[in-house]
Amino acid sequence: MRVGKTEVVDTFAEAFGMWGARVIITADTKNWARAAAQSFTGFATSVIRCKCEAAVECEISDTDTPDLRPGISVLLFAMSEKDMSARLVERIGQCVMTCPTTACYNGLENGTTVPVGQRLRFFGDGHQIAKVVGGRKFWRIPIMGGEFLVDDVFGVQPAIGGGNLLMLGRSGRTALRAASGAADAMRDVAGVFLPFPQGVVGSGSKVGSRYKGMIASTNEAYCPTLRGRVENSALPEGIAAVYEVVVNGLDENALREAMRRGIQAAAERGVDYVSAGNYGGTLGQYKFHLYELLESN
Amino acid sequence: MHTELELTTAPEVPIEAECLSPAKIKGLSQSGIEHLAMMHGNRKVRVGDFFRVTGNGQSSLRLEGDLSRVKYIGAGMKEGEVRVNGSAGMHLGAGMSGGVIRVSGDASDWVGPEMSGGRIEVMGNAGHMVGSAYRGQRVGIMGGEILIHGNVKNELGSAMRRGLIAVGGQAGDFVGVNMRAGTIVVMGGMGIRAGAGMVRGSIISFEPVELLPTFTYSCWLRPTFLRFYLCHLGQSGFEIDDDHMGGRYRRYCGDSVEENRGEILVFDSR
Amino acid sequence: MSETKTPEAAKDEPNIRIVEDATCTFCGCVCDDMELTVDLDANRITKAKNACVLGRAWFLQHGIEDHPQAMIDGREVPLEEAMDEAARILHEAKFPITYGLSDSPCEAQRVAVAINDLVLGNIDTTTSVCHGPSGIAFQGVGESTSTLGEVKNRADLVIYWGGNPAESHPRHFTRYTVTPKGRYIPNGKKDRYVVLIDVRKTPSAPVADQLIRVKPGRDFELLWALRALVRGRDVDPDIEKITGVSREVLDELVERMKNCNFGVLFFGMGLTMTRGRHFNSGALLALATDLNKYTHFVAKPVRGHGNVTGADNVVSWQTGYPFGVNFHRGYPRFNPGEYTTVDLLARGDADAALMIATDPASNFPKRAIEHLKKIPVISLDAKPTYTSRQARVAFMVATYGINTGGTVYRMDDVPITLRPAFDSPFPTDEEVLTGIHTRLKKLRANGRKKAA
C-alpha cells in the first residue's frame, strides 16, 4: 500500500505483554523535576539489559499535579509485578529522592498495586512518618534537604511493550528524518512512551544468537551491509539504512494510535518503506498489522 | 432518591436515635421507618412519634428541622449518606466506619467520636471533644475525616490515631491532646496546650500558637505534604489561599514527655 | 466502739453526755478522734475536744431548728405525703436527675443509686464540680495512691499543689502529713520536707519549707516541665517566663523528688478547677507515676465535703463509674460533660431533680439555675437552703455525724463509722430515700400490671 511516496509493507509489528506504572515527579521548579525525570529514565531502553524500560510521558503544569507544583509524568515498564516494585524502588530511591525538592506520586489510579514507599520508607531509619489523606497513604521521609514524599504503593497494570515501526531509506538521512519525525508524532499520544534515545533505535535486534549467553543479537535481515551476505535479508535493493522506532503503551488503543500517527508522519517525510518487526507471530501476544492501522483511520 | 424525615414534634428531653442511619432504614417501608425505636429520655418511643417520614428506606437520608437535641444521628453507619438540614445533637456519627454525614447548621459535643472511616462535614460550629476518644478510652478516631467549617471547643481530636480533622474557624484548648497519629488542621487559631502528650501526628495551625515548654523548635520549612492536604481540603469546600499553600511553617517537635515524635506546624506569615 | 459514758463530774447533771471517738464530717479529713460534750437538754454540743476551728464551729453551732419535716410548695405536709409526691415526680419524669450526695452517709447514697436504677435516671455527685476532673484523670492515667496513715508513717517529702489546708483542712498537717511522728519518721516535721506550690502565699505557707509560686493558670505547664525533667528531657529555656518558676528551682525540686524515700503529692481545687481541669490532675498523677521509676511516690486529692469520697466509692461500687452516671437504657453509662449535672441543666435536659444535701440554687451557673426553676425539684437537706425554698418537695433531714450514724469515707478512701451525739426529730436521708424507693417500686409494679 502506498501512502504518498512511501510504500507501507504488508506486515505486522509483534508486541509483548509487560507491566506498566506511571510515576509523577514534582519539584519546586520545572528544572528540578526534569532533572529527576532524566535521571530516573536513564539506562532504561530495553528490558534485555536494563531490566526495565522507562521514558518521560509528558510534563504536567503546576495546576494539575497532586501538590500543585510543576511535575513530569514518567512511564516505567518491566516484565512482572515483582520486577515493577523492585525497579520503582531502585529508581525512585536513587534518582528521585536524591534530587532536591522532589516528591514522587503514583499516577495510575486503578489496577493492582505494588509496594514502593512502603519499602523506601526505611531510608528514614525510624523517623519516617506515614500519612493518609482521602484514602491515599504516603510516606514523609526526613532528608537533609527537608522531606521527601512518596506514595506507599503504586498502581501497576498490564501493558504492552515492543510496538515498533521500521523506516527503510535509500539514504540514511531520509530514514533517520522519518524515524525521528515519527517518534515526535508518537510521543504526543497519552499513555505511550518511547524508551530509546529520542525514540529511535539504530541497532534493532533479533532474539537469540549463535553465541551462548547472548539473548539478543543484531537483526541481520535488516542490516544493509549484510545484504548479499545473508540469505534471509528483508531489504529491497538500494536501502542504505534502517531505523526502528520502538513504542510501549499502557493499553492497545494508545499503542495503535501512536503507530498510526508514526506511519503518517514517516510518510509525510517521504521515507521509502515503512515496515515492522516481528518474529513470525510466534512470540508476542499482540500483533499490529500496519494496513489495519491505516484502515482504522 | 432519598428518605426524608422532618422533626415535627420538639422533644421535651434529649432523644437518642441510632436508628437515624442508612443501614437501619434501608429497605424499610415508610411505616417500618415510623416504627423504629428511639429513646426519649428514659422512654422508648417511635420515630413516627416525632418525625414525619416521606418515602421508604433509601441509602440516603435527609433530616429536616432543629435536631440539636437528637443524639447519635448516623452513629455506627458504614455507608450511604445522611444530610441534616439544621443542627445536630451530641454523638453525631459516633463510631462510624463509612459513608458521609453533612450538617448544614451546628453540631454539638462529640462529633464522630472513635470513628474509623467515612466523612463528617459540619458547616456551622461544633462543641467539645470533636473527633475524640470517649472518657476512659486510650484511642480516639482510627480513620476518616471530620471537617468543621466553623469553630470548635476543647479537646479536638483527643487521642486520635489516624485520619484528618480540619477546622475552618477557631479551636479551644488541648487540640490533639494525647494524639497517637493523624493530622489536625486548624485555620482560625487555637487555644493553649495544643499537642499535650502527643506521641506522633501533626497539628497544623494557620495562626500563631502558644506552645508547651516541652516542644522544641526544629526549623522552618515549606512542607510538601501539607500542600497535598490543603489541596484535598480545597476540594472539600475550604478556602485555602496561596500564602498558606506555599508558605513557610515553623516546625516544633514534641511532646517530650512522650516519645517526642509529633509535630506542630505553625504558619509563619513573614 | 461507740462509748457513751457518764463521767464523774457530770453525775450531778445527768443530762450531759460525753461521746468519745466521735467523727467530724465537716471536711474530707473526717477526723475520728473527737471528744464531744453534749447537753442533752438543750440538744447542743457544748465542747468538741480535738476539733479544729472548723470542726468546733460545725459541732457547737449545730442545733435543732423548728422546721417542718416535709413541705410541698412551701406548705407543711406529713412526711408520707411528701414521699408520695416525690415518688410520683420521679416516676413520671423522662429525665430525672439526682445530684449532691457528698454530705450524706454511704447508706443513704446507696439508696439514691438504687432509686436511679429503678427510675432510669441520672445520678451525679458534687465530685463533678470539685474533683470530677481527678475522677476523669484516674480513669485516664491511673493513680499511684496510699492511705494517710502511710503518709504519716513514711512520707519524707510532702508537696501540696493548689490547696490551702491551713484554712480548708486545718488538721491535715497535724494529724497526717507534717508534724506527726511516724514509724519511719521519728522526728516528725524535722524529718520531712514540705513544699507548697500555689499561685499566692497562703496561710499554709509558714508550715512549708519551700513555697513555689506558679503563675496563675500555669500549673499544667509547670507539671509538664517537671515531667519532662524527671524523664531527663529538656524544656523550653523560657520556662521561668512561662510558669514564673526558674529552671534552678525546678531542677532542685526534681532532684528532691527523685531522691526522697517516700513522696506524696496532695492536690486541691486550685489545680482541678482552673483552666485545664482534668488534664491538670492527670498531669500531676502522671508525674507521681513517672517518679515511681526512681522512688515511691503517691498522689492524693485533698477532698472537701465530709463524704464526697464515699459518694465516689458508693457510686463506683454500684455502677462502675464515680459520678455522672446515666441509667436511661437500664444500664449505667458514664460521660462527664453529658451526664454531669451542671452541663445537663445548662442545656435544659432534665425534667425533674432530686437534690440531696446540696444547694445548687446558690452555687450553680445562672443558666443551670434557670432551668432548675422550671422543673420539679425534690430536696433533702439538714438546713433550709435556696434550693429547698424553691423546691416542689422539701425534706428536712437529720445531720449526719451529729444526729445520725452510718459510714463515711475519709479522703484516702478509708471508711469510718459515725457516732452520733444526740437524736434529731428529723428523719435521716436514708429513711426518706428508702421511703421514696419503696413507693417507686410499687408505682413501677402497678405500671407493669396496667401495661400487661
Side-chain angles (χ1 to χ4, degrees):
Chain A
M1 186 193 276
R2 288 196 80 82
V3 180
K5 282 195 269 174
T6 301
E7 177 68 30
V8 178
V9 180
D10 183 9
T11 186
F12 60 91
E14 198 173 337
F16 301 88
M18 294 180 83
W19 284 88
R22 180 183 275 133
V23 174
I24 312 288
I25 299 168
T26 66
D28 276 359
T29 64
K30 199 175 269 188
N31 279 340
W32 283 118
R34 281 181 186 147
Q38 191 178 19
S39 183
F40 182 95
T41 57
F43 188 58
T45 53
S46 165
V47 287
I48 295 173
R49 287 289 185 194
C50 308
K51 299 178 184 170
C52 66
E53 300 179 5
V56 168
E57 183 187 24
C58 60
E59 297 203 350
I60 312 174
S61 85
D62 61 11
T63 52
D64 295 329
T65 57
D67 59 20
L68 302 187
R69 298 191 301 168
I72 290 188
S73 169
V74 177
L75 294 171
L76 180 140
F77 286 14
M79 295 312 288
S80 69
E81 272 182 77
K82 206 179 148 203
D83 269 4
M84 287 303 291
S85 175
R87 302 293 88 79
L88 287 167
V89 169
E90 281 168 8
R91 284 170 185 264
I92 295 171
Q94 299 304 309
C95 307
V96 185
M97 183 160 68
T98 56
C99 179
T101 76
T102 55
C104 196
Y105 307 105
N106 170 31
L108 277 187
E109 288 304 320
N110 58 340
T112 36
T113 58
V114 294
V116 176
Q118 228 172 79
R119 295 169 64 185
L120 277 172
R121 75 172 197 267
F122 297 114
F123 184 74
D125 202 20
H127 303 290
Q128 65 272 20
I129 298 170
K131 288 280 163 194
V132 183
V133 62
R136 182 173 193 165
K137 181 175 182 179
F138 57 89
W139 289 92
R140 297 165 58 195
I141 302 172
I143 53 171
M144 286 161 65
E147 262 183 0
F148 178 66
L149 227 63
V150 59
D151 270 311
D152 186 54
V153 294
F154 276 62
V156 291
Q157 68 177 50
I160 306 160
N164 67 82
L165 294 172
L166 296 172
M167 307 296 168
L168 282 59
R170 288 187 208 286
S171 88
R173 204 183 287 171
T174 320
L176 187 53
R177 199 171 58 225
S180 83
D184 289 345
M186 292 159 85
R187 212 180 275 120
D188 284 347
V189 177
V192 305
F193 71 100
L194 285 63
F196 286 92
Q198 300 281 12
V200 183
V201 190
S203 62
S205 60
K206 68 169 188 294
V207 176
S209 159
R210 71 170 66 191
Y211 302 111
K212 205 176 136 193
M214 288 288 289
I215 45 175
S217 61
T218 194
N219 193 355
E220 66 263 22
Y222 288 91
C223 289
T225 57
L226 298 181
R227 187 168 178 274
R229 164 77 182 84
V230 294
E231 286 169 11
N232 61 342
S233 182
L235 296 181
E237 193 184 340
I239 296 301
V242 179
Y243 291 105
E244 184 179 2
V245 182
V246 172
V247 57
N248 296 346
L250 284 172
D251 60 69
E252 215 173 322
N253 287 338
L255 210 52
R256 265 177 211 290
E257 173 63 13
M259 286 178 64
R260 191 190 61 74
R261 286 196 202 180
I263 299 168
Q264 294 289 358
E268 280 163 24
R269 284 161 183 78
V271 71
D272 299 283
Y273 295 91
V274 174
S275 185
N278 62 57
Y279 311 95
T282 52
L283 289 178
Q285 298 94 313
Y286 299 93
K287 294 185 188 71
F288 298 96
H289 288 275
L290 302 189
Y291 282 16
E292 279 174 21
L293 292 174
L294 289 172
E295 278 157 13
S296 69
N297 187 22
Chain B
M1 276 296 286
H2 60 259
T3 314
E4 188 174 305
L5 275 78
E6 188 187 348
L7 186 71
T8 47
T9 308
E12 298 162 51
V13 297
I15 284 179
E16 295 180 7
E18 290 94 334
C19 59
L20 299 181
S21 151
K24 302 277 170 59
I25 64 156
K26 199 176 167 186
L28 292 182
S29 65
Q30 181 168 323
S31 90
I33 297 170
E34 284 166 352
H35 278 78
L36 284 171
M38 318 185 287
M39 294 299 291
H40 180 225
N42 55 15
R43 306 294 157 95
K44 267 207 182 101
V45 293
R46 287 173 176 162
V47 168
D49 298 341
F50 291 86
F51 289 93
R52 181 166 58 222
V53 182
T54 314
N56 48 16
Q58 306 289 330
S59 63
S60 172
L61 180 59
R62 187 162 298 176
L63 304 172
E64 301 279 342
D66 178 11
L67 284 89
S68 56
R69 298 184 86 186
V70 180
K71 301 178 182 179
Y72 294 103
I73 295 168
M77 69 188 269
K78 294 183 174 69
E79 56 182 4
E81 186 193 16
V82 175
R83 200 181 271 267
V84 182
N85 283 329
S87 290
M90 287 180 175
H91 310 289
L92 177 74
M96 71 190 280
S97 56
V100 181
I101 298 178
R102 289 200 174 84
V103 178
S104 68
D106 295 338
S108 186
D109 303 335
W110 289 283
V111 173
E114 297 178 15
M115 73 192 282
S116 58
R119 182 158 69 176
I120 302 177
E121 283 179 37
V122 177
M123 299 315 290
N125 301 326
H128 295 291
M129 313 286 295
V130 171
S132 70
Y134 278 121
R135 298 284 178 222
Q137 296 289 345
R138 290 225 161 259
V139 177
I141 72 170
M142 302 278 282
E145 289 177 15
I146 301 178
L147 311 173
I148 311 284
H149 289 264
N151 303 327
V152 301
K153 294 177 183 166
N154 296 345
E155 291 185 60
L156 176 72
S158 83
M160 73 187 281
R161 195 163 106 182
R162 189 181 276 179
L164 168 64
I165 301 177
V167 174
Q170 280 182 316
D173 294 350
F174 288 102
V175 169
V177 59
N178 295 330
M179 76 192 278
R180 300 290 192 258
T183 308
I184 299 177
V185 181
V186 178
M187 304 178 191
M190 55 175 81
I192 56 176
R193 299 164 185 168
M198 74 192 292
V199 181
R200 284 184 296 271
S202 309
I203 299 173
I204 293 109
S205 174
F206 285 1
E207 298 293 330
V209 187
E210 186 197 310
L211 292 169
L212 285 169
T214 48
F215 279 77
T216 317
Y217 175 64
S218 13
C219 65
W220 69 259
L221 76 165
R222 299 182 198 278
T224 313
F225 88 94
L226 188 58
R227 303 172 67 95
F228 208 94
Y229 275 90
L230 297 182
C231 290
H232 182 75
L233 292 175
Q235 286 157 11
S236 309
F238 286 91
E239 268 185 41
I240 309 290
D241 58 40
D242 290 349
D243 284 355
H244 292 127
M245 181 67 83
R248 336 181 355 164
Y249 289 78
R250 293 170 69 81
R251 183 182 196 274
Y252 296 85
C253 58
D255 186 334
S256 71
V257 303
E258 283 295 337
E259 286 181 35
N260 212 8
R261 298 186 62 173
E263 65 179 348
I264 298 183
L265 296 171
V266 184
F267 178 66
D268 187 348
S269 54
R270 280 179 308 162
Chain C
M1 288 301 291
S2 172
E3 285 182 36
T4 305
K5 59 179 183 180
T6 310
E8 299 297 314
K11 258 183 184 159
D12 298 339
E13 297 172 56
N15 281 334
I16 292 291
R17 180 159 85 171
I18 305 289
V19 184
E20 280 187 350
D21 293 336
T23 302
C24 169
T25 53
F26 183 77
C27 79
C29 279
V30 196
C31 298
D32 54 353
D33 59 348
M34 300 292 129
E35 188 183 310
L36 304 179
T37 308
V38 186
D39 178 345
L40 292 171
D41 285 336
N43 272 345
R44 280 214 163 276
I45 295 163
T46 52
K47 208 173 149 197
K49 199 176 147 194
N50 292 341
C52 66
V53 57
L54 300 173
R56 268 203 302 282
W58 164 250
F59 285 118
L60 302 186
Q61 284 169 20
H62 180 76
I64 301 296
E65 286 184 52
D66 183 20
H67 195 277
Q69 284 186 340
M71 298 197 292
I72 294 179
D73 289 332
R75 167 177 58 85
E76 181 173 355
V77 294
L79 189 59
E80 303 288 307
E81 188 184 332
M83 290 197 277
D84 286 344
E85 176 67 1
R88 189 193 61 78
I89 290 169
L90 294 174
H91 180 67
E92 285 172 5
K94 296 185 177 75
F95 200 134
I97 62 167
T98 300
Y99 175 73
L101 294 172
S102 55
D103 274 320
S104 300
C106 295
E107 290 75 3
Q109 291 165 348
R110 188 172 57 184
V111 185
V113 177
I115 287 175
N116 279 279
D117 194 4
L118 198 60
V119 300
L120 307 177
N122 190 101
I123 188 161
D124 187 31
T125 74
T126 56
T127 287
S128 72
V129 298
C130 63
H131 273 281
S134 313
I136 298 172
F138 293 149
Q139 197 187 16
V141 304
E143 182 190 21
S144 165
T145 184
S146 78
T147 61
L148 291 172
E150 268 188 277
V151 172
K152 175 186 166 185
N153 283 314
R154 295 172 190 273
D156 59 346
L157 175 62
V158 180
I159 302 172
Y160 281 92
W161 199 307
N164 176 18
E167 289 186 308
S168 63
H169 300 77
R171 296 188 75 208
H172 207 252
F173 290 146
T174 50
R175 271 200 98 192
Y176 306 110
T177 61
V178 180
T179 47
K181 291 175 181 160
R183 184 181 294 175
Y184 301 106
I185 307 290
N187 303 313
K189 188 172 189 313
K190 272 189 214 150
D191 291 342
R192 290 193 171 93
Y193 192 83
V194 180
V195 183
L196 198 69
I197 301 176
D198 211 331
V199 295
R200 63 198 165 90
K201 193 172 176 181
T202 63
S204 297
V207 174
D209 296 289
Q210 187 183 6
L211 171 69
I212 295 175
R213 286 181 65 174
V214 55
K215 276 192 188 171
R218 291 300 180 187
D219 302 84
F220 184 84
E221 282 74 9
L222 188 60
L223 281 162
W224 227 234
L226 285 169
R227 283 194 70 196
L229 292 171
V230 166
R231 290 190 164 209
R233 302 274 166 79
D234 210 356
V235 296
D236 194 325
D238 284 342
I239 190 71
E240 185 166 2
K241 224 167 85 190
I242 300 167
T243 62
V245 183
S246 75
R247 178 64 190 268
E248 291 70 38
V249 170
L250 285 177
D251 284 338
E252 193 200 321
L253 181 63
V254 166
E255 282 314 301
R256 203 179 284 285
M257 290 193 294
K258 281 176 161 182
N259 294 315
C260 71
N261 292 320
F262 184 115
V264 56
L265 277 156
F266 287 109
F267 57 107
M269 281 166 63
L271 187 69
T272 65
M273 278 293 137
T274 51
R275 192 169 172 182
R277 296 194 169 211
H278 57 278
F279 291 115
N280 296 346
S281 324
L284 185 132
L285 294 170
L287 175 63
T289 305
D290 292 349
L291 282 163
N292 278 283
K293 272 195 182 140
Y294 303 92
T295 183
H296 193 70
F297 228 98
V298 299
K300 286 302 305 175
V302 178
R303 307 301 304 266
H305 293 282
N307 198 23
V308 68
T309 314
D312 289 358
N313 276 285
V314 171
V315 178
S316 296
W317 153 51
Q318 301 236 323
T319 72
Y321 305 110
F323 63 97
V325 182
N326 184 287
F327 282 101
H328 281 172
R329 298 207 160 180
Y331 55 87
R333 291 184 294 172
F334 170 65
N335 201 13
E338 184 175 10
Y339 303 134
T340 37
T341 309
V342 172
D343 305 277
L344 58 82
L345 282 177
R347 279 193 305 269
D349 286 353
D351 64 350
L354 172 61
M355 294 296 180
I356 303 171
T358 182
D359 190 15
S362 74
N363 56 31
F364 267 17
K366 201 168 154 234
R367 281 185 66 188
I369 294 174
E370 272 167 17
H371 185 68
L372 207 51
K373 284 180 184 163
K374 293 181 200 154
I375 60 174
V377 174
I378 302 152
S379 89
L380 274 73
D381 214 318
K383 56 192 180 304
T385 62
Y386 283 101
T387 307
S388 72
R389 279 183 212 115
Q390 292 167 12
R392 169 108 177 93
V393 184
F395 295 96
M396 185 83 167
V397 293
T399 302
Y400 80 135
I402 297 180
N403 305 126
T404 74
T407 311
V408 299
Y409 275 72
R410 200 166 68 187
M411 64 170 79
D412 57 347
D413 303 290
V414 171
I416 288 170
T417 303
L418 300 180
R419 308 196 203 294
F422 58 94
D423 290 337
S424 158
F426 300 115
T428 64
D429 292 350
E430 191 187 354
E431 282 160 5
V432 173
L433 292 172
T434 306
I436 295 173
H437 186 228
T438 311
R439 283 163 176 77
L440 280 166
K441 277 198 279 195
K442 270 185 203 143
L443 286 169
R444 300 276 297 181
N446 289 342
R448 267 200 298 276
K449 255 181 235 158
K450 249 183 238 167

